[in-house]
Amino acid sequence: MKMEEFLVQLDGVSKFYGATAALVDVRLRIGRGITGLLGPNGAGKTTLIKVLLGLVRISAGRGMVLGCSIGRSARSIRQQVGYMPEDDCYIAALSAVETVQLGARLSGLPGREALRRAHEILDFCGLKEERYRQAATYSLGMRQKLKFALAIVHDPRLVILDEPTSGLDPIEREEMLSRIQVLARKFGKAVLLSTHILPDVQAICDEVVILARGRVRMAESLESLNRPAEPAYWIQTVGPAAPLADWARTQGLPVQLDNERRLQLATDDPLLLQRLWQGAEQTGSAIRSVQPAKNSLEAIFLEALEESTHAYP
Ligand code: ATP
């Protein structure tokens, strides 16, 4: 993809809240299609979104959204970006029609046209006759639909959705995911979907960005991540895995050191695994766990979760 085709470009962006590093040296490119932004709680997803919307000032680095600089053109960015926040945002006394019409008017449409647009968007979002009731009476699913409608009423080029399926039942979740797909595939919008729900990303995303402790851990296409992993075992050791890996190599076993305490045995033959157990005994290495290798998206996400669990006990 050429540079000018990227809708979002961040270079070396960091954001500190006092001593807390919410984003560290983030370099990111987001193009068309649906990009999943995955990360455990506290990873920096919301901060990243606020940076893109110009709602917080960055501590270092620079970035462009839709050709506008994030530090200088926040208003212009917000006119072209739709944002569905995680938290509720509705005016309790207004109906969905009134709320979305208000959104349309704020974006510059005159009264009748704004009303027409509100109905069109609410049809798309699946709010039926309840659209005439006060929003205060809505279920969580209805409130999510209303938030979604508000995010797209002004026909933005880029739509940022923060946990759009959170709290939805399975049918509502399916409907929300297919609506997001229509938005991207039929209407050509770029979508950034922030979530900690891996299956949502696997279901509809083209690209995946994993954040952990403010850093981009991985940014890749889902297609390349979903290629089935070669059959292998992951062997987690209590101490350093190197002595066991060295021993295994001398025995001709297909091993590879993944990190200080994990090695991979590239086979699904249990007899070779058994030999590795013997090697552990001979080298005095304690094996903590053995599991079949997973595809890399799940693996990296699990590692990110593990890392943050240790960081935020
Ligand atoms: P969640 O999924 O829980 O919403 P997140 O990935 O969106 O998490 P952020 O909300 O961006 O993560 O937070 C990243 C880090 O920055 C966390 O350590 C958080 O406590 C800290 N942080 C966020 N906002 C502020 C703030 N206004 N003042 C101080 N620290 C903050």
Side-chain angles (χ1 to χ4, degrees), residues 108-120:
L109 289 180
R112 283 190 76 82
E113 182 57 18
L115 183 60
R116 192 199 59 73
R117 176 78 179 152
H119 281 294
E120 180 184 59

Side-chain angles (χ1 to χ4, degrees), residues 30-301:
I30 295 176
R32 299 209 164 275
I34 308 175
T35 301
L37 178 62
L38 265 173
N41 290 336
K45 303 183 297 294
T46 305
T47 304
L48 181 67
I49 291 172
K50 286 183 180 169
V51 164
L52 298 180
L53 294 168
L55 296 174
V56 295
R57 200 181 286 265
I58 56 177
S59 315
R62 61 201 169 92
M64 305 280 281
V65 175
L66 301 170
C68 305
S69 158
I70 49 171
R72 273 169 281 161
S73 321
R75 183 182 286 258
S76 161
I77 290 173
R78 290 203 287 267
Q79 279 167 354
Q80 304 179 70
V81 176
Y83 172 45
M84 175 176 172
E86 186 179 0
D87 298 328
D88 267 335
C89 58
Y90 60 90
I91 303 170
L94 296 189
S95 68
V97 177
E98 290 164 330
T99 311
V100 181
Q101 188 185 8
L102 179 62
R105 293 199 67 163
L106 289 174
S107 75
L109 289 180
R112 283 190 76 82
E113 182 57 18
L115 183 60
R116 192 199 59 73
R117 176 78 179 152
H119 281 294
E120 180 184 59
I121 292 293
L122 289 169
D123 287 343
F124 176 68
C125 293
L127 265 178
K128 303 206 166 62
E129 41 308 336
E130 59 269 20
R131 71 179 66 176
Y132 299 105
R133 281 189 353 224
Q134 286 189 340
T137 66
Y138 286 0
S139 67
L140 178 60
M142 292 173 195
R143 297 203 300 272
Q144 293 288 78
K145 288 175 186 168
L146 173 54
K147 267 198 290 182
F148 189 69
L150 279 172
I152 60 173
V153 66
H154 56 305
D155 200 22
R157 289 170 63 197
L158 169 66
V159 182
I160 300 177
L161 306 169
D162 198 352
E163 306 282 359
T165 61
S166 123
L168 298 184
D169 68 34
I171 292 171
E172 289 172 330
R173 171 179 169 262
E174 283 298 321
E175 288 174 349
M176 180 62 86
L177 293 178
S178 65
R179 216 169 277 130
I180 296 169
Q181 277 180 299
V182 172
L183 205 60
R185 316 274 180 245
K186 186 168 170 204
F187 298 111
K189 308 295 178 196
V191 177
L192 180 63
L193 169 69
S194 169
T195 183
H196 56 263
I197 305 174
L198 192 60
D200 281 3
V201 170
Q202 275 166 326
I204 64 166
C205 288
D206 306 301
E207 303 283 325
V208 189
V209 174
I210 295 186
L211 271 186
R213 302 182 66 195
R215 292 172 191 273
V216 175
R217 288 289 309 270
M218 193 207 73
E220 258 189 68
S221 74
L222 192 70
E223 195 192 350
S224 65
L225 286 167
N226 269 346
R227 278 188 209 119
E230 293 292 316
Y233 292 107
W234 281 341
I235 291 103
Q236 199 84 35
T237 53
V238 176
L244 181 56
D246 290 343
W247 176 89
R249 279 191 206 102
T250 63
Q251 303 295 307
L253 296 178
V255 291
Q256 170 193 315
L257 205 54
D258 281 348
N259 60 40
E260 207 195 334
R261 286 161 204 258
R262 193 177 78 199
L263 54 89
Q264 212 172 119
L265 182 63
T267 177
D268 50 4
D269 181 349
L271 290 177
L272 294 189
L273 181 63
Q274 206 178 342
R275 288 204 30 219
L276 202 77
W277 279 103
Q278 291 161 0
E281 226 175 277
Q282 284 184 29
T283 56
S285 309
I287 290 179
R288 185 192 291 279
S289 65
V290 175
Q291 53 178 314
K294 299 186 187 71
N295 75 38
S296 42
L297 175 59
E298 194 179 347
I300 295 169
F301 188 52

